[in-house]
Amino acid sequence: MKTVVRLALVDPNDASRSSLKSLMLGIDSVWLEAESSRYDFFIDVVMQTRPDIALVALDSDPAKGLALVAKVTQELPDCNVLVISSSTEGSLILQAMRNGAKEFLSLPLKLEDVLSALERIRQTQSTRSGEGQVRSCQVIAVAGASGGVGCTSLAVNLGCLLARSEQNSVVVIDLDFALGDSDVWLDIIPDYTIQDVAENITRLDYSLLKRSLTRHDCGVFLLPRPVQLDDNLKITGEQLRRVIALLKTTFTHLVIDTSKSFGALDMAALEVANTVLLVTQLDLPCLRNVVRLMQYFEHTDGLTEKIQIVVNRVGLEDTQISLNKALETIGREISWQIPNDFATMVEARNNGVPLVMQAPKAKLTRALEQLAQQLSPAGEANPETEEKKARKGLFSFLGSGAK
């Protein structure tokens, strides 16, 4: 997956700045964090927003522009400076590079030249930082084959378990605008919700989005559903993609709790996700819905390959359909089974305390912990160890459900 980079640009010329802005907004891997029409103010802009890339157009005043390049490089060494100009004069290019510019592009800009420059910057960062390089964000969507199968409990507790690692920064997004209850699971009364994001989507920036998030003591952030039911709340799939793109620039994991309608927003979340956990139970209505959903997902390119079937509440009743029968019905491999522990889960929900804090040693918590380890890129640091853990979890909990 491409890493999304945050970019700020400065160009005193209104016409060329507008053209630059349009070009950058059309690149999926770029988030336009800020723009400025004054060289004098741009250093304050980058110090406040701290973008990954500062794009400086020199044509309006080459001397001021070059001085700005040097100042940005000095004040914010982690920010890569990309310079553009209609001039191809060797001395100008040389001076820009001496002042700290990583790339110099000639106007008029070509999309392929911009993409190549961004890729070179990304490769340079990776080579320089080695193991410490910025990781791509993992987007995990949790969808249910029916209502009440435990999607929210899985999404919230998975997010809390991922947030336990200091290497991870995690956001849980509640897309069930009508009846979502992720805030209840975390005992959070939010000041802002996804409604605030939707109402300000045209001027959305990172600072506004960050204010819309609420942090739990375990470290996970929550973007909750609206407080009030509101038929007038409108947010499109494209707008949701924009929100997700911005969150990906800062967080290592996004866990999206989708609704059961599989509408435009839910499908947008599934399409941008790296992994889709399709949660079901071992009963006939759920398993039939899994088959129906998989047939529906085939109409979206690349979606079925991302689906992992998760069977929840294994051992709930003796009358559950057997594992072998379930496999025969859905015709797909079951990736994970989560054991039933109704008392522990209900107590955690009613207390508004995640399982990792309420019952860290419970079998249920350990099962979710192993799932989190499999989904977290942090495990790449020691693949052999993580592979053994994943295999152990897979055999332990798959074996317990067969009858």
Side-chain angles (χ1 to χ4, degrees):
M1 185 192 72
K2 294 182 179 179
T3 302
V4 179
V5 295
R6 295 190 297 134
L7 181 144
L9 69 86
V10 58
D11 186 353
N13 185 291
D14 292 340
S16 60
R17 187 175 68 256
S18 178
S19 177
L20 280 174
K21 180 178 177 180
S22 297
L23 178 63
M24 295 304 159
L25 288 173
I27 302 176
D28 291 339
S29 58
V30 171
W31 179 269
L32 184 56
E33 180 68 27
E35 58 176 304
S36 176
S37 61
R38 297 281 299 276
Y39 292 128
D40 298 337
F41 297 155
F42 190 63
I43 190 63
D44 293 329
V45 170
V46 295
M47 292 303 292
Q48 290 175 12
T49 60
R50 296 187 172 271
D52 302 304
I53 296 176
L55 192 157
V56 180
L58 297 181
D59 285 355
S60 294
D61 191 328
K64 278 191 174 183
L66 289 171
L68 178 61
V69 170
K71 193 167 186 179
V72 171
T73 302
Q74 181 180 2
E75 297 291 334
L76 201 64
D78 291 336
C79 179
N80 296 278
V81 181
L82 195 160
V83 171
I84 61 173
S85 174
S86 58
S87 173
T88 57
E89 199 174 309
S91 59
L92 183 68
I93 298 174
L94 181 60
Q95 189 59 53
M97 295 302 183
R98 284 177 175 173
N99 285 13
K102 295 296 189 296
E103 293 285 338
F104 189 104
L105 298 179
S106 299
L107 291 173
L109 284 180
K110 295 180 180 178
L111 178 60
E112 56 269 28
D113 292 338
V114 176
L115 294 175
S116 296
L118 294 175
E119 184 59 30
R120 286 193 295 271
I121 289 174
R122 186 178 292 113
Q123 290 177 354
T124 301
Q125 284 182 308
S126 299
T127 302
R128 185 173 63 238
S129 57
E131 291 183 357
Q133 70 187 77
V134 177
R135 293 176 295 162
S136 298
C137 176
Q138 297 294 305
V139 182
I140 304 161
V142 183
S146 180
V149 294
C151 288
T152 300
S153 62
L154 178 62
V156 170
N157 284 288
L158 182 60
C160 293
L161 285 162
L162 289 168
R164 187 173 55 170
S165 171
E166 294 182 357
Q167 300 178 31
N168 297 337
S169 52
V170 186
V171 178
V172 174
I173 304 173
D174 192 344
L175 282 189
D176 190 342
F177 289 2
L179 301 176
D181 58 354
S182 56
D183 54 335
V184 175
W185 282 87
L186 295 174
D187 192 23
I188 284 175
I189 301 176
D191 294 322
Y192 301 95
T193 71
I194 199 168
Q195 182 171 10
D196 300 286
V197 175
E199 291 175 347
N200 296 280
I201 197 73
T202 56
R203 60 183 186 88
L204 182 65
D205 58 17
Y206 176 69
S207 60
L208 174 61
L209 186 53
K210 189 174 182 180
R211 289 198 301 272
S212 302
L213 303 175
T214 305
R215 187 180 186 275
H216 187 267
D217 290 341
C218 72
V220 73
F221 287 84
L222 175 66
L223 184 58
R225 54 98 177 104
V227 175
Q228 304 292 335
L229 286 173
D230 186 357
D231 291 337
N232 295 320
L233 176 61
K234 302 297 181 184
I235 179 170
T236 67
E238 204 54 47
Q239 289 169 334
L240 178 64
R241 288 186 179 91
R242 189 173 181 221
V243 172
I244 291 173
L246 182 53
L247 289 171
K248 284 163 61 177
T249 66
T250 303
F251 293 91
T252 63
H253 296 80
L254 307 184
V255 182
I256 306 175
D257 184 16
T258 66
S259 76
K260 305 304 181 292
S261 66
F262 291 95
L265 285 186
D266 303 305
M267 292 307 296
L270 300 186
E271 289 169 19
V272 301
N274 302 96
T275 302
V276 177
L277 302 180
L278 183 57
V279 185
T280 184
Q281 291 182 192
L282 291 175
D283 60 57
L284 187 57
C286 281
L287 296 175
R288 288 186 64 185
N289 281 344
V290 169
V291 175
R292 293 180 64 216
L293 286 169
M294 293 306 301
Q295 291 173 344
Y296 177 61
F297 293 157
E298 288 177 356
H299 299 295
T300 302
D301 290 341
L303 181 53
T304 55
E305 290 80 3
K306 298 187 291 188
I307 303 292
Q308 292 190 23
I309 306 295
V310 178
V311 177
N312 197 18
R313 298 171 183 153
V314 172
L316 178 62
E317 297 175 356
D318 292 336
T319 56
Q320 281 187 331
I321 292 175
S322 70
L323 175 62
N324 289 337
K325 186 64 176 178
L327 291 170
E328 180 183 333
T329 301
I330 64 177
R332 281 182 65 91
E333 177 183 338
I334 294 174
S335 300
W336 284 88
Q337 288 193 49
I338 308 299
N340 179 57
D341 190 344
F342 183 78
T344 299
M345 185 66 84
V346 168
E347 184 179 11
R349 182 193 63 193
N350 290 342
N351 292 336
V353 178
L355 288 170
V356 69
M357 300 171 69
Q358 176 79 25
K361 296 183 179 180
K363 184 178 180 181
L364 173 61
T365 309
R366 294 202 309 270
L368 292 173
E369 185 177 30
Q370 289 166 355
L371 176 57
Q373 289 172 346
Q374 183 189 29
L375 295 173
S376 176
E380 294 172 3
N382 191 349
E384 182 176 340
T385 301
E386 293 307 317
E387 183 181 354
K388 289 180 180 178
K389 289 181 180 178
R391 188 185 301 116
K392 178 181 177 183
L394 185 63
F395 289 152
S396 297
F397 294 107
L398 281 181
S400 64
K403 295 184 180 179

